[in-house]
Amino acid sequence: METTLRGVGVSHGVAIGEVRHMGTAVLEPPAKQIPAEEAEREQGRARQAVEAVAADLVARGNLAGGEAQHVLEAQAMMAQDPELMADVDRRIAVGSTAERGVYDAFASYRALLAGAGEYLAGRVADLDDVRNRIVARLLGVPMPGVPDSDEPYVLIARDLAPADTALLDPTLVLGFVTEEGGPTSHSAILARALGVPAVVALPGAGELAEGTVIAVDGSTGEIFVEPSAEKRAEMESAAAARKAALSTSTGPGATSDGHKVPLLANVGGPGDVPAAVEAGAEGVGLFRTEFLFLDDSKQAPSEEKQIAAYRAVLEAFPEGRVVVRVLDAGADKPLEFLTPADEPNPALGVRGLRSLLDHPDVLRTQLTALSKAAEGLPVYLEVMAPMVADRADAKAFADACREAGLNAKFGAMVEIPSAALRARSVLQEVEFLSLGTNDLAQYTFAADRQVGAVSRLQDPWQPALLDLVAMSADAARAEGKSCGVCGEAAADPLLACVLTGLGVTSLSMGAASIPYVRTTLAKYTLAQCERAASAARASDSAEEARVAAQAVLSGE
């Protein structure tokens, strides 16, 4: 009998297939004692398993590239931590087996991380994944993670570990559903990058029986369990119609009455450029430069290395607009040479522009490298600072850009509510604003973007968030300047229409979302988008805002 469940839709499309569950966590090894003469052999087994797992993580990262590579390399370093390995050796020396020594040593380290502040506590899941892989290898049991299957399936998981998500095969994984996560979680961002339908924050997803047929609607967040033939036909027909519409979607972003809304791509490095070009991106709205700095947390990359990486992206968009975000370090992206190690709450501490202003040499080198990378290229370079709180921050950044001789527009990201509330003041110092809706929601609602329990507060349809977007756009219009959105909100085609109606002047998103947004935007006039925006802001919840906007655009 068909039943319906509802989570949070985070990646468009329809997936119909049998359920396959992510491999379960490794069982706790037995606590048996070994003779003293076997200790050295067991220590050798433990070291071999650790090195094998670390090598596998690095190999997966090399294949995946981009941000996933850095996450996986960090996991490999975690596995090889000298103090952790010393603890494993000590435990084996007093009688533990290799697998038990690893299990107990990681448990001890896990407890330290869990009590060491928000950032380190957030690494517990990564640590658990490393432990499970090492113990599985020692026990000779299947590695936890994505199931082996020759047939396409819908993946069900509590959440997705970096080592698993980096190499998901979209020809086998039709879509996925997770119990945890939110619209801006790594799982959601990955799904959009892969172009597979996904629903997150679905309580009880793990209770769906292996082999059960489900239909996943990544737009609405609906899951149909054992869908009827009629329901399957209806969803497949809708998916086919959407695919046909997407295939004919080309050209610049615009409403049906010709109001231009440039559609730009979010990229993490040169490896993301081909997909953006293929999707018809009109430029880059968010070039995250952290990928260069995360290669070595102990020192900044050389000016020469930065020039080469920046130029590779700039050359891909001749006559296009490329908006570069200078290094956004801190919180969940700590750098040993730049960010404090002992902050009680890194997300509210010295991160983003604050870190760079404390280390002006790092900012100066990056700005100089950007200037040299753009020399001789017919590209419209714009550079923006993350985590701008007020006019003083904006002025400090603009002054640094001028001192570095940067021939580009200088802008500020609006991720802190104070910057939205005082946007007109900020715009006295910079030439454009770019709304990072992921962090703006996080700080507006005090809701961690990685915590599924507060995902409703991370929903970019929240009317309070739309109010802050409108304030920023109104300020930019009054000053004759631009105001774009580069957060995940721009990837929602319906919300893209609302953002346009609020006065946003450009939209930047993962490359896979650009055709969806282009097609949807072209269906409506600017006036319709404005009416939908007003209806959404007049609502009292995210769901009401979504329904109200849809009703306006549907002519109901």
Side-chain angles (χ1 to χ4, degrees):
M1 179 179 176
E2 180 180 307
T3 57
T4 305
L5 307 174
R6 183 183 289 276
V8 178
V10 295
S11 183
H12 301 289
V14 169
I16 302 174
E18 291 188 0
V19 163
R20 293 286 182 274
H21 286 271
M22 185 75 89
T24 56
V26 176
L27 296 176
E28 180 177 348
K32 67 179 184 180
Q33 290 291 107
I34 60 169
E37 61 268 21
E38 293 184 15
E40 187 174 344
R41 179 178 67 86
E42 290 294 290
Q43 289 169 340
R45 285 183 65 228
R47 281 192 292 274
Q48 288 175 359
V50 166
E51 292 304 320
V53 166
D56 178 61
L57 290 169
V58 171
R60 286 169 178 255
N62 289 337
L63 285 171
E67 292 184 13
Q69 181 174 1
H70 304 300
V71 173
L72 293 171
E73 287 174 349
Q75 277 195 294
M77 292 174 63
M78 185 182 285
Q80 297 169 304
D81 182 272
E83 290 188 18
L84 190 52
M85 284 311 301
D87 190 18
V88 172
D89 283 341
R90 282 194 296 271
R91 293 173 187 275
I92 294 174
V94 295
S96 288
T97 60
E99 46 267 39
R100 187 70 205 193
V102 167
Y103 187 89
D104 288 342
F106 271 74
S108 178
Y109 195 27
R110 187 185 198 280
L112 288 174
L113 287 185
E118 181 182 354
Y119 168 72
L120 291 177
R123 307 280 70 75
V124 165
D126 289 355
L127 184 69
D128 286 347
D129 184 55
V130 172
R131 177 204 64 201
N132 291 347
R133 290 173 183 278
I134 297 171
V135 173
R137 182 171 288 274
L138 287 165
L139 290 174
V141 300
M143 198 68 69
V146 177
D148 290 327
S149 176
D150 295 329
E151 297 297 326
Y153 59 90
V154 177
L155 181 63
I156 306 292
R158 174 170 289 281
D159 210 340
L160 293 171
D164 297 317
T165 55
L167 298 179
L168 281 180
D169 182 352
T171 64
L172 283 176
V173 181
L174 301 172
F176 58 78
V177 180
T178 65
E179 293 191 41
E180 299 291 332
T184 59
S185 66
H186 290 302
S187 300
I189 293 170
L190 174 81
R192 288 189 284 269
L194 289 174
V196 298
V199 172
V200 302
L202 179 70
E207 296 172 13
L208 291 168
E210 189 86 1
T212 302
V213 174
I214 64 172
V216 178
D217 188 326
S219 300
T220 65
E222 291 175 304
I223 305 292
F224 301 97
V225 182
E226 299 291 1
S228 64
E230 291 77 14
K231 173 59 72 175
R232 292 178 66 154
E234 174 190 329
M235 295 181 73
E236 288 169 347
S237 174
R242 177 179 290 172
K243 186 175 182 180
L246 290 176
S247 66
T248 62
S249 170
T250 58
T255 58
S256 63
D257 56 340
H259 175 73
K260 294 187 182 304
V261 187
L263 302 181
L264 313 171
N266 294 343
V267 303
D272 294 335
V273 168
V277 172
E278 184 179 351
E282 298 169 61
V284 172
L286 173 62
F287 178 8
R288 305 179 182 95
T289 58
E290 291 77 51
F291 79 102
L292 272 173
F293 292 80
L294 292 172
D295 278 341
D296 183 352
S297 66
K298 295 183 179 179
Q299 62 181 3
S302 67
E303 182 179 304
E304 292 71 25
K305 184 176 181 179
Q306 292 189 53
I307 291 171
Y310 302 150
R311 194 170 181 90
V313 175
L314 296 175
E315 286 177 335
F317 294 96
E319 306 296 338
R321 175 187 179 198
V322 176
V323 184
V324 179
R325 180 178 70 189
V326 294
L327 176 61
D328 184 15
D332 62 342
K333 292 170 285 188
L335 293 173
E336 191 173 319
F337 68 90
L338 194 70
T339 51
D342 56 353
E343 288 186 305
N345 193 341
L348 300 178
V350 182
R351 64 168 293 197
L353 180 61
R354 298 168 188 175
S355 295
L356 293 174
L357 294 179
D358 282 350
H359 297 80
D361 54 322
V362 175
L363 177 58
R364 187 181 310 112
T365 299
Q366 185 172 23
L367 294 173
T368 301
L370 283 165
S371 180
K372 292 180 178 179
E375 285 179 1
L377 294 180
V379 66
Y380 297 96
L381 177 63
E382 302 185 11
V383 182
M384 61 185 180
M387 303 302 292
V388 170
D390 56 14
R391 181 174 180 174
D393 277 353
K395 183 179 188 305
F397 178 65
D399 287 347
C401 289
R402 282 188 281 267
E403 288 169 13
L406 187 62
N407 182 24
K409 285 186 176 183
F410 319 141
M413 290 198 71
V414 177
E415 302 165 284
I416 302 173
S418 62
L421 294 167
R422 300 287 295 170
R424 197 158 183 180
S425 173
V426 170
L427 282 165
Q428 303 310 304
E429 306 294 342
V430 293
E431 298 172 81
F432 69 92
L433 299 177
S434 182
L435 288 143
T437 52
N438 304 350
D439 269 325
L440 185 57
Q442 177 168 250
Y443 289 122
T444 299
F445 297 103
D448 190 321
R449 56 194 283 192
Q450 298 300 330
V451 177
V454 294
S455 63
R456 77 171 185 86
L457 297 172
Q458 270 291 331
D459 192 324
W461 281 92
Q462 285 284 357
L465 188 66
L466 299 181
D467 287 345
L468 292 175
V469 172
M471 286 182 183
S472 303
D474 287 347
R477 186 186 300 111
E479 294 295 326
K481 297 179 178 180
S482 63
C483 176
V485 168
C486 64
E488 292 299 319
D492 179 333
L494 182 61
L495 185 52
C497 296
V498 167
L499 295 173
T500 298
L502 292 174
V504 166
T505 55
S506 65
L507 298 165
S508 190
M509 65 209 76
S513 298
I514 290 175
Y516 288 96
V517 172
R518 183 191 293 118
T519 301
T520 305
L521 198 60
K523 294 178 181 177
Y524 307 109
T525 65
L526 176 59
Q528 286 177 298
C529 292
E530 289 172 340
R531 288 196 296 274
S534 295
R537 287 185 67 191
S539 304
D540 291 321
S541 71
E543 183 58 30
E544 288 178 13
R546 186 182 288 106
V547 170
Q550 181 68 71
V552 169
L553 294 177
S554 300
E556 297 176 6

